Amino acid sequence: MSRPELIAPPEIYYGDTEAKKYTNNTRIQQIQAEMTYRALELLNLPPDEPAFLLDIGCGSGLSGEILDEEGYLWAGVDIAPSMLEVALEREVEGDLFLHDIGQGFGFRPGSFDGAISISVLQWLLNAETSHPTSSPPHRLNRFFTTLHAALRNPARAVLQFYPTSDDQVQLITQIAQRAGFGGGVVVDYPNSKKARKVFLVLYVGDGGAAQVPR
Amino acid sequence: MVRLITHNLLACHAKGCTTNNFPLQIKDAQLALREAEFNPDFLRGFIPRIEWAALVSAARQLGDESLPNEVPEMIDDDFLRGLHHVLLEIHIDEGAMVCPNCGHVYPISSGIPNMLLAEHEIG
Ligand SMILES: [Zn+2]
């Protein structure tokens, strides 16, 4: 099976049919939920304090629903209109934006207490968007620079993604660091081909706590 | 769904548009009111992040005159309830946000602002 990000840009790949299929697939729901909970854990927010979060590539709101349940307020951005439509139908609480993250964010400095992103960054690495744009490194740079500015100091961004090679992990980490982020990569189940999950855990300032994620 | 909480955080991100690019002017707004859960702790924590003058003028553009010109020194429950309503319960379902500097129009359709830039506007 080919990786979807190699087939077409996300806003094309996730048309109406694919968006509904993706959202209603119980296995995808379960994996997305697990990764969202793990991302929240790695975000390491102060317990029992309300927070305003950014969901990068919020899609149909699978992770947003969990943010709602956990009592967080959030805004979400996604490039696929069909996914956002499903999110509206599912009546998630967050504010939704049609946005190409490779074009960078316009959020004011210090807008968010944290950011999560589930299964999105590989799209920036692999496929062009249907809008004419520049190279993946340029888009990644724009993304990380404006994300860094949009977060409070201290704060974290936790981005789970599916790299195809260690080179890709290196490229992404390098560009994030150049944008001002500290932190690094956390790999869950590193020895399982199927369960292996890569999380980029990025810090603004000291990331909010001295402890290193387990 | 776009509410004044995110409108208050949003500047124009078109290439080279770095001054006078906030707040985006709201045009032809169609509104919907939807109740949200009142969370005074969240609001107290969020107040320092608000550009107050921008929030007051955006609310007035939408026909809500309830906010005072300045954040009061005594933050009581009444004030927080009013702020809650303005930030989190007024939804702009249709309309547009227009950059006061470069004039870029971010259309809002079915509650979702289209933030996509044209090729020549990408930084
Ligand atoms: Zn502008």
Side-chain angles (χ1 to χ4, degrees):
Chain A
M1 203 173 69
S2 253
R3 285 168 165 257
E5 66 270 22
L6 299 178
I7 297 171
E11 68 277 23
I12 305 295
Y13 182 81
Y14 292 113
D16 292 345
T17 321
E18 214 45 58
K20 288 218 165 65
K21 246 204 290 184
Y22 185 88
T23 312
N24 295 329
N25 180 317
T26 43
R27 192 174 145 63
I28 286 176
Q29 283 175 6
Q30 191 198 335
I31 296 173
Q32 285 269 332
E34 278 168 20
M35 294 192 296
T36 305
Y37 284 118
R38 179 66 170 135
L40 281 174
E41 189 183 2
L42 292 168
L43 210 51
N44 204 28
L45 292 161
D48 306 318
E49 263 180 46
F52 192 58
L53 304 179
L54 178 63
D55 186 350
I56 300 160
C58 60
S60 54
L62 290 174
S63 42
E65 266 178 4
I66 291 171
L67 299 181
D68 287 340
E69 278 166 27
E70 297 289 311
Y72 294 113
L73 281 87
W74 57 280
V77 301
D78 203 282
I79 198 177
S82 300
M83 288 291 233
L84 291 172
E85 240 169 75
V86 178
L88 278 184
E89 283 168 23
R90 290 158 60 87
E91 299 186 331
V92 292
E93 301 277 334
D95 285 10
L96 305 170
F97 294 86
L98 178 64
H99 194 95
D100 176 358
I101 57 172
Q103 297 183 348
F105 296 109
F107 294 112
R108 285 199 285 112
S111 289
F112 296 98
D113 298 297
I116 63 162
S117 175
I118 307 297
S119 309
V120 173
L121 274 193
Q122 68 271 9
W123 290 99
L124 270 189
L125 277 167
N126 289 296
E128 296 294 314
T129 72
S130 58
H131 314 276
T133 40
S134 37
S135 67
H138 181 87
R139 287 165 54 74
L140 282 163
N141 182 49
R142 186 98 188 115
F143 165 67
F144 281 121
T145 312
T146 54
L147 174 62
H148 187 272
L151 293 169
R152 304 183 77 193
N153 183 0
R156 288 186 188 183
V158 178
L159 309 106
Q160 177 275 328
F161 71 113
Y162 293 108
T164 47
S165 68
D166 288 346
D167 284 354
Q168 285 193 339
V169 178
Q170 265 207 340
L171 174 74
I172 281 201
T173 313
Q174 238 172 39
I175 296 176
Q177 281 170 352
R178 237 185 291 142
F181 282 110
V185 171
V186 173
V187 182
D188 284 357
Y189 311 108
N191 299 319
S192 157
K193 217 177 158 196
K194 271 200 149 165
R196 189 173 196 271
K197 296 281 178 300
V198 178
F199 293 84
L200 192 58
V201 182
L202 299 177
Y203 294 7
V204 178
D206 68 2
Q211 85 216 51
V212 177
R214 66 173 166 81
Chain B
M1 304 222 312
V2 60
R3 298 174 288 186
L4 291 188
I5 186 170
T6 45
H7 170 266
N8 195 261
L9 299 173
L10 208 54
C12 179
H13 68 298
K15 185 179 187 174
C17 192
T18 49
T19 52
N20 188 33
N21 60 346
F22 173 88
L24 301 173
Q25 302 298 309
I26 301 166
K27 291 271 151 69
D28 308 321
Q30 288 177 35
L31 305 181
L33 300 180
R34 295 189 193 97
E35 244 175 76
E37 199 181 321
F38 179 55
N39 186 338
D41 288 342
F42 172 78
L43 293 166
R44 277 179 200 280
F46 200 80
I47 288 171
R49 234 173 287 181
I50 298 173
E51 284 284 343
W52 191 257
L55 180 64
V56 171
S57 79
R60 287 181 188 165
Q61 274 180 41
L62 302 183
D64 188 300
E65 309 269 343
S66 63
L67 294 179
N69 283 328
E70 313 269 339
V71 182
E73 275 177 33
M74 277 289 293
I75 305 223
D76 58 15
D77 220 47
D78 260 6
F79 169 74
L80 288 176
R81 283 194 182 275
L83 180 61
H84 166 76
H85 176 70
V86 169
L87 279 181
L88 296 165
E89 296 192 322
I90 305 176
H91 295 254
I92 307 167
D93 274 357
E94 303 287 332
M97 296 184 290
V98 183
C99 173
N101 183 44
C102 75
H104 182 99
V105 178
Y106 299 96
I108 302 169
S109 166
S110 305
I112 298 178
N114 179 341
M115 305 306 290
L116 300 176
L117 300 172
E119 177 68 8
H120 68 277
E121 296 173 313
I122 301 170

